[in-house]
Amino acid sequence: IFSLFDCDKSSLTRAFVTAIVGMTFNAPRWAIALCVVCVFGGSHSASAAPTCADPGWKSHQISPLNVSPTSAINASNLPLNTSLYGVEGGHVVWVEEKWLYVALAEFTSPPHFVPSNIALWRAEFTQSDIWPKNWKRLKTLFQSGGVEDCKSLRASLGSSVAIAFNEHANRYEIFYVGFKSCNDSHFANQYGRIFRSVSAVEGNSQAGIEGQYKDVGVVLQPDPDHQQPWEGLQGVDSMQPYSLGAGRGWAAFYGSCNTQDPQPEVRQVVGRAFADSLEGPWIRAHLDHAHPTNLSYLSPKIEQPIVTPLRDGSFVAVFDAIGNEGAGVIGYAWSPDGRLWDPMCSQLVAVADGAKWMQRGRTRTPQGLVQLDDKNLLLS
């Protein structure tokens, strides 16, 4: 959890939590980890950009404070028949200020990254709780075809998943990636596209988010007539819609990777897309369309940014800072309006220090932020 704007370690009266994805190396399974960070005013962070032009950046930088003694989702509560290779990606939301939900991708069986599920998890978490508790896997929302035949559009469903609440329709929606999986010389998952699904139950409530979800279409996909030159064989590999505010429409970072090229030329990067409503149509941004969006000057390769609007009208994003996972860090960026993202308004945040249970201190894809009150954020 971030304590927003100004904070002092000695002034904290409760334990705050943040969760990230940690990878273990003694088994092919990943886990959800917890740690504590603090947002402060001033230039306390060594990795924070000192030349960010917007003065708001100074009061939105963060620093870790503590790490949970155990991981939240791990081999003890991940059933082997649904997640032999663990989990990755996903999105966290807080409902009714009581329930913490995570929708994520599970890799179920060989071949790795192909057979997969989209699952919904829930924990109890209120303002009086120190840590989220009683994590439970509620259900499988979607299941992949799991065959490397280079035909099915849903052979793999890993690993981008995003939750959004549609105020107009009064329903939760889940956006997730589906890939063709090919047994060739390139990375198996190719030609990704983003599916949109809608809950059968109305309401911004426990019942609403836990409803059955029905696919209603594809919102972004490989498209020779409209895709940008930097998009690669992996197709659209991720997308998370976020509201720009009432009457201002929606925005999203979407990702792609040129997996058709040999290493080390392969780059995971993101671009921008916009829509008037969640239903779409979603349009790729044309500004500087020949190049991907530079979200952070500290990490040229990034994956799966998750954006959260803050109550002060600004926006924050967390993302997988590719190439820095071994150092136990994630990427963090701030925007005054959700449209302008200055790459200098970003930092790398060390979140694995002190996590003895996290093998080699390696971290992967964060699942987003939840604003708990005017000063505190939960990072998953």
Side-chain angles (χ1 to χ4, degrees):
I1 286 177
F2 303 163
S3 185
L4 274 175
F5 308 129
D6 292 297
C7 77
D8 186 309
K9 293 182 183 181
S10 62
S11 69
L12 295 179
T13 57
R14 54 166 291 183
F16 297 135
V17 302
T18 177
I20 59 169
V21 174
M23 181 186 292
T24 62
F25 286 83
N26 58 349
R29 308 194 66 191
W30 302 355
I32 304 298
L34 301 173
C35 74
V36 177
V37 297
C38 171
V39 170
F40 51 77
S43 55
H44 297 70
S45 174
S47 65
T51 57
C52 176
D54 196 302
W57 170 237
K58 290 184 178 180
S59 59
H60 290 84
Q61 299 170 33
I62 60 177
S63 178
L65 294 177
N66 198 4
V67 180
S68 67
T70 61
S71 57
I73 299 176
N74 51 44
S76 69
N77 53 16
L78 278 167
L80 280 173
N81 65 330
T82 63
S83 53
L84 175 65
Y85 291 106
V87 301
E88 190 186 11
H91 191 193
V92 62
V93 296
W94 197 33
V95 177
E96 298 178 341
E97 297 191 357
K98 182 178 181 181
W99 306 104
L100 196 68
Y101 289 91
V102 176
L104 47 74
E106 302 171 333
F107 297 111
T108 61
S109 59
H112 201 179
F113 298 118
V114 182
S116 45
N117 297 325
I118 303 297
L120 186 66
W121 288 72
R122 183 188 69 198
E124 299 173 30
F125 187 70
T126 67
Q127 290 283 7
S128 61
D129 288 322
I130 296 176
W131 304 101
K133 59 188 179 183
N134 300 326
W135 284 94
K136 180 181 180 181
R137 187 185 188 277
L138 297 180
K139 65 175 75 176
T140 298
L141 299 173
F142 300 101
Q143 188 173 33
S144 78
V147 178
E148 289 182 303
D149 61 5
C150 216
K151 294 180 181 179
S152 170
L153 301 181
R154 303 168 60 89
S156 172
L157 301 182
S159 64
S160 172
V161 190
I163 303 171
F165 185 71
N166 189 328
E167 295 279 358
H168 177 72
N170 193 31
R171 294 178 190 270
Y172 274 98
E173 302 189 2
I174 289 180
F175 295 72
Y176 64 96
V177 67
F179 292 101
K180 291 183 179 182
S181 293
C182 307
N183 186 14
D184 57 24
S185 61
H186 304 298
F187 182 68
N189 294 337
Q190 305 170 15
Y191 307 106
R193 64 206 62 225
I194 304 300
F195 292 88
R196 172 176 167 251
S197 64
V198 177
S199 174
V201 180
E202 291 187 354
N204 188 357
S205 62
Q206 180 182 7
I209 195 170
E210 293 184 11
Q212 294 297 319
Y213 285 81
K214 180 182 179 181
D215 281 324
V216 293
V218 171
V219 297
L220 213 59
Q221 61 187 321
D223 182 349
D225 293 331
H226 298 97
Q227 71 186 48
Q228 300 184 356
W230 52 266
E231 296 180 40
L233 180 64
Q234 200 161 358
V236 183
D237 62 24
S238 62
M239 178 182 178
Q240 181 253 329
Y242 60 93
S243 174
L244 291 168
R248 298 177 182 175
W250 291 76
F253 288 102
Y254 73 96
S256 189
C257 184
N258 57 325
T259 50
Q260 72 275 11
D261 295 331
Q263 295 282 4
E265 287 94 355
V266 170
R267 297 181 66 227
Q268 295 92 345
V269 290
V270 298
R272 307 295 309 282
F274 297 91
D276 292 334
S277 67
L278 276 175
E279 294 85 348
W282 283 88
I283 307 298
R284 290 164 166 87
H286 296 296
L287 181 63
D288 193 23
H289 68 278
H291 304 283
T293 298
N294 184 8
L295 184 57
S296 173
Y297 80 106
L298 292 161
S299 182
K301 297 182 181 181
I302 67 172
E303 192 172 41
Q304 298 191 35
I306 301 292
V307 177
T308 300
L310 299 181
R311 295 175 186 174
D312 66 0
S314 66
F315 294 72
V316 288
V318 288
F319 52 89
D320 189 345
I322 301 293
N324 296 283
E325 303 102 317
V329 303
I330 63 167
Y332 170 85
W334 174 82
S335 167
D337 59 6
R339 288 182 175 272
L340 176 63
W341 294 86
D342 184 340
M344 303 306 289
C345 300
S346 66
Q347 66 181 112
L348 299 180
V349 183
V351 289
D353 293 346
K356 296 180 180 180
W357 48 267
M358 189 183 298
Q359 293 287 322
R360 302 183 186 178
R362 181 164 181 168
T363 58
R364 280 302 307 268
T365 319
Q367 298 168 326
L369 295 155
V370 173
Q371 185 160 15
L372 302 178
D373 54 37
D374 289 339
K375 292 187 176 181
N376 300 305
L377 293 168
L378 173 73
L379 168 67
S380 174

